[in-house]
Amino acid sequence: MFIAHLPAGYLLTRRIVGTRQGLRRAAFATGLTFSVLPDFDLLYFYLIDGRRTLHHDYWTHTPLFWLAVAATLALALRLAGKRQYLILVWVALANVLLHLFLDSIAADIRWFHPVLETRFNLVEIPARFQPWYLNFILHWTFAAEVAICAAAAWIWARARLAARPVEASASE
Ligand SMILES: [Zn+2]
């Protein structure tokens, strides 16, 4: 997936946060960050690894790793008596798992690594064009990405418009 991680993260975070007011900004910041965080491994891929290993094979694209991190954080927050922050752990985990699910549409993701090395992807994209990214952009799955972006832009714009009268009356 190329362009839809962030807008998909926005839609998911909106869904989780709902009308909740407490930690709303923090939840959106967390959700948007974690919706794209796994792909920061591209820095390692290009700058350090020399493109030797597919970045989808790094631990950053391993669901069980993120589940373990989330479980550890949730336990730590509970033991520290800071249960109110558990929502942020949930938002982060949900967004990372959404990222991996969206990657798994057209790319191989090892959902059960290190227990099972089977790779899961819904659609095989044939290599027909050069450069390589044209194969993805000219595939129908890219239309789904555009649709996710359009839906997020529409809902974001509607929310902004709905918030306008409240902002205007608050400033008077
Ligand atoms: Zn990714």
Side-chain angles (χ1 to χ4, degrees):
M1 183 141 293
F2 283 96
I3 59 172
H5 284 307
L6 195 67
Y10 170 73
L11 291 172
L12 177 65
T13 305
R14 256 189 86 84
R15 192 87 187 148
I16 295 172
V17 170
T19 55
R20 174 193 183 97
Q21 289 306 315
L23 295 174
R24 193 176 175 83
R25 276 178 167 270
F28 270 100
T30 302
L32 294 178
T33 301
F34 278 80
S35 71
V36 293
L37 192 65
D39 282 348
F40 277 78
D41 62 11
L42 284 167
L43 293 173
Y44 182 84
F45 176 72
Y46 282 110
L47 300 178
I48 297 167
D49 194 32
R51 301 202 273 177
R52 279 188 295 246
T53 310
L54 289 172
H55 83 110
H56 288 145
D57 281 352
Y58 295 146
W59 53 264
T60 41
H61 278 80
T62 301
L64 293 184
F65 165 76
W66 291 108
L67 281 169
V69 170
T72 306
L73 277 175
L75 184 65
L77 286 172
R78 274 176 173 266
L79 292 175
K82 307 221 181 257
R83 292 173 59 117
Q84 70 272 26
Y85 295 109
L86 284 173
I87 180 77
L88 300 181
V89 176
W90 167 232
V91 166
L93 178 64
N95 271 283
V96 161
L97 292 180
L98 176 66
H99 179 110
L100 299 177
F101 169 76
L102 293 172
D103 274 353
S104 205
I105 291 174
D108 291 338
I109 296 295
R110 295 177 298 166
W111 277 87
F112 303 104
H113 173 81
V115 180
L116 196 69
E117 295 304 313
T118 309
R119 296 163 187 275
F120 295 90
N121 72 321
L122 293 177
V123 181
E124 202 68 52
I125 297 192
R128 292 189 183 131
F129 309 105
Q130 282 295 336
W132 63 270
Y133 54 80
L134 285 180
N135 295 303
F136 291 87
I137 290 172
L138 298 175
H139 194 265
W140 66 263
T141 52
F142 195 70
E145 293 204 47
V146 172
I148 292 170
C149 293
W154 170 258
I155 288 170
W156 177 81
R158 241 182 36 179
R160 296 290 299 170
L161 284 174
R164 255 183 156 174
V166 177
E167 285 174 5
S169 61
S171 62
E172 284 169 9

